[in-house]
Amino acid sequence: MEWASQLCENRGLGSKMTDSKYFTTTKKGEIFELKAELNSDKKEKKKEAVKKVIASMTVGKDVSALFPDVVNCMQTDNLELKKLVYLYLMNYAKSQPDMAIMAVNTFVKDCEDPNPLIRALAVRTMGCIRVDKITEYLCEPLRKCLKDEDPYVRKTAAVCVAKLHDINAQLVEDQGFLDTLKDLISDSNPMVVANAVAALSEIAESHPNSNLLDLNPQTINKLLTALNECTEWGQIFILDCLANYTPRDDRESQSICERVTPRLSHANSAVVLSAVKVLMKFMEMLPKDLDYYGTLLKKLAPPLVTLLSAEPELQYVALRNINLIVQKRPEILKHEMKVFFVKYNDPIYVKLEKLDIMIRLASQANIAQVLAELKEYATEVDVDFVRKAVRAIGRCAIKVEQSAERCVSTLLDLIQTKVNYVVQEAIVVIKDIFRKYPNKYESVIATLCENLDSLDEPEARAAMIWIVGEYAERIDNADELLESFLEGFHDESTQVQLQLLTAIVKLFLKKPTETQELVQQVLSLATQDSDNPDLRDRGYIYWRLLSTDPVAAKEVVLAEKPLISEETDLIEPTLLEELICHIGTLASVYHKPPSAFVEGSRGVQHKRLPARAGSGESTESPDVGQSVSGVSDAPPAVIPSQGDLLGDLLNLDLAPPTTTVPPVPSSMQMGAMDLLGGGLDSLMGDEPETSGSHYRTEVPSPQPADFSERELGGDLGGSPAMGVGVGVGVGVGVGLGPAPVGMPAGLGAAPAVGGGLGDLFDLGGGVGMTSGSYSPPRVVWLQAMKAKGLEISGTFARRGGVIQMDVSLTNKAMSVMSDFAVQFNKNSFGMAPAGPLQVLTPLGPNQTVEVSLPLSSTGPVMKMEPLNNLQVAVKNNIDVFYFSCQYPISLLFVEDGKMDRQVFLATWKDIPSDNEAQFQIKDCHLSSDAASNKLQGSNIFTVAKRTVEAQDMLYQSIKLTNGIWVLAELRIQTGNPNYTLSVKCRAPEVSQYVSQCYELILKN
């Protein structure tokens, strides 16, 4: 805490003996004794008493009862005593605001003290007292200190402006302090410049669109001049400010780089990283063929290497930043591989980070060296580190093709050690090597199968099952191996169950005669006995494929797989650009943009690197709602991780569904089309009816004797599409029985083609013109008997993007009313009149006038209870009248609130699950399309829609006027009048009001 650090500072001001005596346990009645000592006439006794008070405060005792006595000690010339009193004041002013006003006169007086230390101390304390009541009294002293002759006072006052802005932004703007701060950028003292930049940057962060730091070449020149002379933290503020500037051309960019480069040799690692950030950003504008570009690359390596000789915590921060730099520009550190070799005494978090960077820098030139190191690491004692080292060997094989053979032989050596976790990691990475180099290293499969019994981790078991299924034709006892896994099917993790289902279907397609019972068994386990929807759906799809068209099944399940890329964990290019702009901050350690972990109302700016000279790209930040898929740099093809269900669904429909129905020339094509056509719609129990006979293919076949009805789940309901046989392979007749009970009707046959996966999120079908936004009924806000004959009633509406307050003023008195005016109190969303109350003529007795008052949402903000409460004052020639009313929060839903699907998915995942609230909306009888249409009229936008088992799910986004996003999932079950609404928001207190809006809109 600030006052605790200053207490330590005070000890050097003349305390000859140790201050530890003040922290010893004290007897009862201490407060009374301290009170007497504080009011003593002896200065020394008074100082000792204040020290005891501060000591008690430091260890957490409540000494607020002594507030008036301590404040009385402010009137002193003793700097040490004054500092101690100010510390006390900072700590307790918030709990005693009325008493704190007593100190105002002393502040004003101290701000004119001849001693600059006292003037600075007064202005610093003023900024730390966060009490609204006394801020306006501090404006005059602060104005004088901002123009003080002493630079120490000016630099302290500059920071005080930022603190005051945090308490009362409007006051700071009205008093013109922001303009004074801008003037301080041209100050002759570099520390004043640095603090002015720091204060303006802090204010600009909370007001992203204010353009406070209007950077131009002249300002940049002043900042660069101050950079050489101010303290290290001042340099960081200036460098961070420079990083937000976009140079006009490559010449200006080079000039700035030349003047920033000397900071790379600074002793403070934060200064070095801030300088690296500026250089990385401005390098984007330099042509690569420029000599200076190559020189700059060489200059960047030594400071980054030097950071790795610091203590482990600093090393970790440096390594996380280097990880980003290496992804953007690997050429900077391509010759520095050795510095990333792990030392025996490195903490595990440093070891793992170094390992990651080693892989990123691995190339044909250094691969032998890297592999030798990795093999050494794989024999260490730290299990996590060994696992990562084994994975790293696999990544090297995938990245550097020439080293693949050596990597595989190294992995086989490690498997021979029979160390359980080493074997399991090796099998996982060998699976990836098979994917990268098909038909090259399959000779090692026999060695892998020997270790089958030792596998106990889901990922390793899934990898081994994949290998057995993929290469079943080369493994004589593949069916026995897979059957051994099947015995404990329900005890396996979902990952293993899914892999086992796919592997057995592959085996069946390769060896149909031997594995008929096995495939029947696994399909039955997956579809009938499992509660997991992913597993059930995959089981149904395989069952249906095998039932309708085996040739198509073979083409789908045994299709050639795409080769995996060399990097499976590269950061997506747009995000990488943003993180490069945040080097040296927490974002670069988390590898997440600030918006992902900075909570609260502060706007977070999305930063981008400037476009390279001559590229013609825009240098502006992308719009937040822009689709991630719209990035110009195509991200590398990677092995997708299994996301959550919502993620998988949102990724399905990235193109609009086609409306044309393609011809179906053969049964083989029909089977293939079925998977991408109405098949999934049927799974959800919504098979489209078609009249064309060529849309439905049935393959009549005798029911095989070895499939009894009981095995398949009893009576099948006599659906003609169900008892379908299948022939797999050439000249082999194999019967696959009908689908089990619980499988939706029609799964045995191909439905109409044409819906496409897009139907899962059919946003077009059935949604007509949007209706108008919801407006609540009129209510009487102020009764005539309470307002001397003036009755006020009204409602709220949003028309054409403008919030309107529709007011009826009725004169029930005997006298004429005129001179109407209206004012709102501070409220939760900054609602304020955008114009005067237009009552153009006097209001006679028994007359009513209708007025529509436009409202803005840019007024002063204060949290109300309830959140949508609005306190209004109406004045006329008779008196001022007060009333409060509540507005529906839907007024604040803006027209550009439709979120891109990918952004919706990322945001939904990002918001903590604790912020999710669930509500029931009862007695509602709308279809999902009608509900979506109605909600869209009030700016609740449907981002995506899916249907599962006759239940429609609408994924919706809302944006409020203050920039808060609300995400929602509305579940509508056919025939059920009760809807379920799940709401997620970074400001969870908004959720219940959003649910109320849903209910009002849907029921009116």
Side-chain angles (χ1 to χ4, degrees), residues 165 178 197-213 244 603 605:
H165 188 275
L178 294 180
V197 167
L200 284 169
S201 301
E202 179 77 18
I203 295 167
E205 264 183 38
S206 56
H207 294 71
N209 303 319
S210 59
N211 198 23
L212 283 175
L213 274 164
N244 294 326
Q605 288 177 291

Side-chain angles (χ1 to χ4, degrees), residues 833-874:
L837 193 61
Q838 298 276 8
V839 182
L840 302 176
T841 55
L843 190 61
N846 296 316
Q847 281 188 344
T848 298
V849 63
E850 304 279 349
V851 184
S852 195
L853 178 70
L855 307 180
S856 75
S857 55
T858 55
V861 174
M862 181 175 75
K863 189 174 179 182
M864 302 295 286
E865 195 56 47
L867 213 57
N868 59 341
N869 195 28
L870 186 64
Q871 295 176 341
V872 185
V874 174

Side-chain angles (χ1 to χ4, degrees), residues 629-651:
S629 59
V631 179
S632 57
D633 299 319
V638 297
I639 302 175
S641 60
Q642 187 174 351
D644 60 9
L645 181 62
L646 179 62
D648 295 339
L649 286 164
L650 286 176
N651 285 328

